[in-house]
Amino acid sequence: MALFTFKGGVHPDDGKKLTMDKEVIEYVPKGDLVFPLSQHIGAPAKPLVKKGDRVVVGQKIAEAGGFVSANIHSSVSGTVKAIEKRLVPGGGKVESIVVENDNLYEEIDFSKNIRPLEELYREDVIDIIREAGIVGMGGAGFPTHVKLSPKNESEIDTIIVNGAECEPYLTSDYRRMLEEPEKVVVGLKIVINLFEHARGIIAIEDNKKEAIRLLKEMTKDEEKIQVNVLKTKYPQGAERQLIYANTGRYINSKMLPADAGCIVHNVDTIISIYEAVIEGRPLISRVVTVTGDCIEDPRNFIVRLGTDYQELIDAAGGFKTEPAKVISGGPMMGKALFSLNVPVTKGSSAILALSRDAVAESEPSDCIKCGRCLEICPGRVMPSLLCDYAEAGDLEQFVKNHGMECCECGCCSYVCPAKRHLTQIISGTRKVVLAQKKG
Amino acid sequence: MDVTSIIIPAAVIGVIAVLIGILLGKASEIFKIEVNETEIKVRECLPGNNCGACGYPGCDGLAAAIAKGEAPVNACPVGGENAADQIAAIMGGSAEASVRMVACVKCKGDCEKAEDVYRYVGPESCRIAANTPNGGPKACAYGCLGYGECKAVCEFDAIEIVDGIAVIDKEKCKACGKCVSVCPRHIISLVPYDKEHIVKCNSKDRGLDVKNICKAGCIACTLCVKNCEDSAISMDGNLPVIDYEKCTNCGKCAAKCPMKTIS
């Protein structure tokens, strides 16, 4: 059978073999935990605790500051040390709740939250998901309850579980699909049942053979669920590309997946939905890949949110050589870190320590008009042209030439033989345009 | 060759030329465009940079607006008092006294005084760099990045990047305000030309945090507020603000400032 795919894209060396065969292990933090109040898109959460309060695992410590916002729960027991601005992986300082860890990990009774699935109506399920503070865990952090309440509810016909994991080095989704496939299937069923006409697709790249076999096996009797095998290519897991590959429907920057009748969830998000609805547990942990050629013992950890990055790197044996660059997230779209004292947030998928800084090594030169960036651009825009407009400060032409359709995947910078900083310049200019529109 | 073969065409063309001449003469009378004499005179007094600082589309636009009485005679910030007086003479009436303003960069954290937290690799543009973690490599999230976005837009060659921060030449600056709007960190503002003391720091962080990362930043000690005899200085959060209506240039604030932020 032909593989599902889209036009364009690149195939970098994936580096996944470092961690893909190692089991996920739990890491229990020892130091203080930091909970930024803004780990999601939308309004920051409002703190419900104050300095000196004692909190326990699973306790809601901040509540959503609006409809597009999310609750935050403590992943540790201890005392609130401070509510102050702390550095987050994105690089800015965000108001955060700092909890001093008493190492007791005293929990609230999660079983009280559990209600039999048959008794739950659609609104109840969405309520549970909202209460659990679940957001898209692929990185963007869009609140899941908002995603599940589209305006055109009856037109939603496809729920896609994004198991593509196209970013090089990352294996957290793959390991979760291997180790907890039943949670993925049941979680998907819960979401499918929210929509009358929906069917489910689990989309996996064909380099994850074991996960494909396992999930096909588990869903062979499920009428409404199918497993689609995608071509291994970056950015196969980007929302727009994923929807096109699986359904042939096209969306642009002004549309939401729901406009094409689709809802896309990351594997981790689906598992969190399962844990919230079936086990009554709020979102307090996630799987993080700690990898790269500088890490002594690269592996996947199941980590409590708020754990310090440095602690997690130490848990992976620390650095075997001094890294040239440490990235939060994958190498293509992740953010470079300048401090390792940042907390794991709901959107932290990986910590990547590389001995070579490929970007810093290459000096950009003038465009040689080879057209490679045009060929591979999955957003079908013209990166070289947009970059020229951006450098000249011509925002009008930038927008006219569809600069806002760029998804900042990084493919153009990756292929550019002149080593121009295409993605960086285009993404920076997009932010300038967005800021202008706002104010 | 017969001479008439030259004379006849010359005569015909001559007649045609006279006819066309008369026609054009009449046409220019019929289709005459009314030119506002004042507008042209006003336009001659304007500097002609077409910088747009007045808010009108170029100097022609402003001249038309002044001639119509829609804009005040001192609307051109670049021409300053000189132009305002000339225009006032043309328009009849006098120019209101306008205060000459100059742009000023509120940051003294140059390469030596302010730390960088990482090495930035990318285009030399403040707007792009402002989107990287921490809003740029500088430890201080409020200070001048020094990639010269302001220098590039300055029509008057008044801005130089010295030691990693923008420095504005007070004499060359015409207060057109382009640098003010282009700076992604909003650290350039217009201050009166004759005022000598300016708070050259934009950090809204606590004093201790500033001290840890910058040797020239305001530590919010409030000594300037306490020592100002004209009570022209007040604190806005962690930064002092000088009210230039009250300031008398006495210089006590600059003398007392322990970080030499005010200068």
Side-chain angles (χ1 to χ4, degrees):
Chain A
M1 196 178 74
L3 300 172
F4 293 86
T5 189
F6 63 98
K7 287 180 194 153
V10 294
H11 185 51
D13 171 34
D14 71 6
K16 289 185 193 280
K17 61 179 182 302
L18 284 174
T19 51
M20 75 186 293
D21 296 325
K22 292 188 188 166
E23 245 174 76
V24 178
I25 55 171
E26 193 182 350
Y27 175 70
V28 182
K30 301 187 179 53
D32 296 349
L33 283 91
V34 178
F35 304 94
L37 294 174
S38 199
Q39 312 186 18
H40 47 261
I41 289 179
K46 292 188 196 119
L48 294 174
V49 290
K50 54 184 189 304
K51 194 177 165 182
D53 284 2
R54 185 176 148 75
V55 296
V56 293
V57 178
Q59 182 183 336
K60 185 158 86 174
I61 53 174
E63 67 174 356
F67 179 60
V68 185
S69 184
N71 293 336
I72 292 164
H73 300 78
S74 176
S75 61
V76 65
S77 62
T79 339
V80 177
K81 203 171 161 187
I83 298 177
E84 60 185 20
K85 287 206 165 172
R86 285 292 184 100
L87 202 64
V88 294
K93 281 189 174 168
V94 171
E95 204 69 21
S96 310
I97 298 173
V98 184
V99 177
E100 191 173 353
N101 187 354
D102 63 8
N103 283 308
L104 297 173
Y105 291 100
E106 200 180 308
E107 288 186 353
I108 58 164
D109 184 9
F110 292 122
S111 61
K112 272 198 295 192
N113 299 338
I114 305 175
R115 287 161 65 190
L117 199 53
E118 311 77 64
E119 283 178 19
L120 297 173
Y121 288 106
R122 178 188 153 79
E123 287 71 28
D124 298 327
V125 175
I126 291 180
D127 229 39
I128 292 172
I129 290 170
R130 184 181 56 231
E131 202 45 45
I134 300 175
V135 302
M137 289 160 83
F142 194 75
T144 301
H145 65 270
V146 183
K147 225 184 217 184
L148 292 175
S149 324
K151 287 190 195 92
N152 53 347
E153 194 192 303
S154 59
E155 287 164 33
I156 301 296
D157 58 7
T158 314
I159 311 291
I160 303 174
V161 178
N162 185 356
E165 199 162 56
C166 55
E167 274 268 9
Y169 289 96
L170 272 55
T171 56
S172 58
D173 290 348
Y174 171 67
R175 288 308 309 180
R176 288 218 103 169
M177 286 190 284
L178 275 193
E179 291 174 26
E180 294 163 307
E182 69 291 341
K183 287 190 180 177
V184 178
V185 176
V186 177
L188 177 58
K189 271 160 81 182
I190 293 170
V191 179
I192 291 173
N193 287 336
L194 296 178
F195 300 97
E196 209 180 326
H197 310 292
R199 67 190 174 108
I201 293 175
I202 302 175
I204 310 172
E205 275 190 352
D206 70 341
N207 61 353
K208 302 172 189 61
K209 298 263 189 280
E210 196 55 24
I212 295 168
R213 192 191 57 75
L214 199 63
L215 281 163
K216 275 198 168 157
E217 171 84 26
M218 295 210 46
T219 55
K220 65 175 192 287
D221 299 327
E222 303 283 347
E223 260 175 43
K224 281 180 153 181
I225 300 178
Q226 72 183 74
V227 176
N228 280 0
V229 182
L230 309 168
K231 192 173 169 189
T232 304
K233 190 161 75 170
Y234 178 85
Q236 191 65 265
E239 205 164 54
R240 291 179 216 166
Q241 278 66 41
L242 193 69
I243 289 172
Y244 179 81
N246 284 291
T247 65
R249 295 171 198 163
Y250 186 78
I251 60 168
N252 62 27
S253 67
K254 294 183 191 72
M255 296 158 78
L256 288 171
D259 295 329
C262 297
I263 287 180
V264 182
H265 285 302
N266 179 268
V267 171
D268 238 2
T269 317
I270 285 284
I271 290 177
S272 302
I273 292 174
Y274 169 91
E275 285 173 351
V277 178
I278 308 290
E279 296 174 358
R281 297 175 74 88
L283 176 55
I284 50 170
S285 61
R286 67 159 299 142
V287 175
V288 179
T289 309
V290 183
T291 186
D293 58 356
C294 292
I295 300 282
E296 184 68 49
D297 179 23
R299 55 167 64 249
N300 283 297
F301 291 96
I302 184 148
V303 189
R304 284 165 196 265
L305 297 178
T307 306
D308 197 59
Y309 271 30
Q310 181 68 58
E311 226 181 290
L312 209 49
I313 290 169
D314 293 342
F319 296 125
K320 66 181 172 204
T321 46
E322 192 57 31
K325 195 171 204 173
V326 183
I327 300 170
S328 171
M332 299 296 278
M333 284 196 75
K335 286 253 187 192
L337 295 170
F338 62 87
S339 165
L340 295 176
N341 294 111
V342 290
V344 171
T345 63
K346 291 175 184 175
S348 312
S349 51
I351 304 171
L352 181 58
L354 300 173
S355 61
R356 260 186 75 215
D357 186 347
V359 179
E361 278 171 14
S362 47
E363 192 65 26
S365 55
D366 290 339
C367 175
I368 57 167
K369 308 268 186 274
C370 66
R372 277 193 218 175
C373 54
L374 277 65
E375 221 165 87
I376 53 81
C377 179
R380 315 317 287 158
V381 294
M382 297 166 76
S384 57
L385 186 74
L386 289 176
C387 190
D388 289 344
Y389 286 130
E391 278 179 337
D394 191 343
L395 299 185
E396 204 179 309
Q397 284 294 332
F398 180 84
V399 175
K400 223 178 190 174
N401 285 282
H402 312 291
M404 302 314 278
E405 296 302 316
C406 166
C407 64
E408 303 178 16
C409 66
C411 290
C412 48
S413 293
Y414 178 78
V415 296
C416 182
K419 307 287 175 207
R420 295 177 86 194
H421 299 299
L422 293 161
T423 313
Q424 197 185 3
I425 294 174
I426 295 172
S427 94
T429 311
R430 285 183 77 236
K431 288 186 183 106
V432 174
V433 174
L434 286 175
Q436 268 186 0
K437 267 187 200 161
K438 260 191 204 162
Chain B
M1 202 171 70
D2 196 350
V3 179
T4 50
S5 64
I6 295 174
I7 293 170
I8 293 173
V12 169
I13 287 170
V15 171
I16 291 173
V18 171
L19 287 177
I20 289 175
I22 293 167
L23 194 71
L24 284 174
K26 287 280 168 202
S28 75
E29 263 174 45
I30 296 165
F31 300 112
K32 195 170 85 179
I33 297 170
E34 292 284 333
V35 186
N36 190 340
E37 292 276 315
T38 354
E39 194 183 314
I40 292 174
K41 279 191 198 157
V42 170
R43 172 66 185 80
E44 277 165 7
C45 301
L46 293 171
N49 290 82
N50 289 324
C51 66
C54 54
Y56 289 91
C59 296
D60 286 344
L62 178 62
I66 293 177
K68 276 186 206 150
E70 286 170 3
V73 291
N74 59 0
C76 175
V78 178
E81 245 172 279
N82 200 4
D85 287 341
Q86 286 177 25
I87 296 169
I90 296 163
M91 295 297 292
S94 63
E96 279 173 42
S98 62
V99 182
R100 179 175 170 193
M101 304 291 271
V102 284
C104 179
V105 179
K106 292 184 287 179
C107 178
K108 282 181 100 179
D110 55 21
C111 297
E112 186 204 337
K113 290 183 183 121
E115 282 172 26
D116 277 0
V117 271
Y118 58 87
R119 191 163 65 95
Y120 168 74
V121 179
E124 297 272 302
S125 153
C126 304
R127 271 179 305 169
I128 308 290
N131 288 307
T132 50
N134 202 35
K138 211 166 207 163
C140 172
Y142 305 92
C144 175
L145 290 166
Y147 297 113
E149 204 87 44
C150 48
K151 184 183 161 154
V153 297
C154 183
E155 305 252 354
F156 306 98
D157 208 13
I159 306 180
E160 283 299 323
I161 304 298
V162 182
D163 234 0
I165 54 167
V167 177
I168 298 179
D169 184 340
K170 207 170 158 177
E171 303 307 323
K172 285 185 184 167
C173 176
K174 303 289 183 193
C176 71
K178 276 197 175 174
C179 52
V180 177
S181 57
V182 81
C183 177
R185 289 195 157 181
H186 311 292
I187 57 170
I188 308 181
S189 63
L190 297 177
V191 294
Y193 172 82
D194 56 357
K195 298 295 174 192
E196 285 160 13
H197 307 295
I198 294 151
V199 181
K200 289 195 173 165
C201 179
N202 191 41
S203 175
K204 292 160 186 72
D205 282 347
R206 289 183 311 151
L208 186 64
D209 296 339
V210 176
K211 199 168 184 176
N212 286 337
I213 52 175
C214 181
K215 289 185 199 125
C218 171
I219 53 168
C221 65
T222 70
L223 272 179
C224 51
V225 179
K226 287 170 195 150
N227 283 288
C228 183
E229 287 172 358
D230 311 300
S231 49
I233 309 180
S234 58
M235 292 300 285
D236 177 16
N238 289 319
L239 272 182
V241 180
I242 302 180
D243 180 352
Y244 287 110
E245 303 243 311
K246 291 182 186 161
C247 173
T248 55
N249 271 347
C250 72
K252 289 238 166 69
C253 51
K256 291 283 177 190
C257 180
M259 303 301 285
K260 298 285 162 240
T261 311
I262 303 184
S263 64

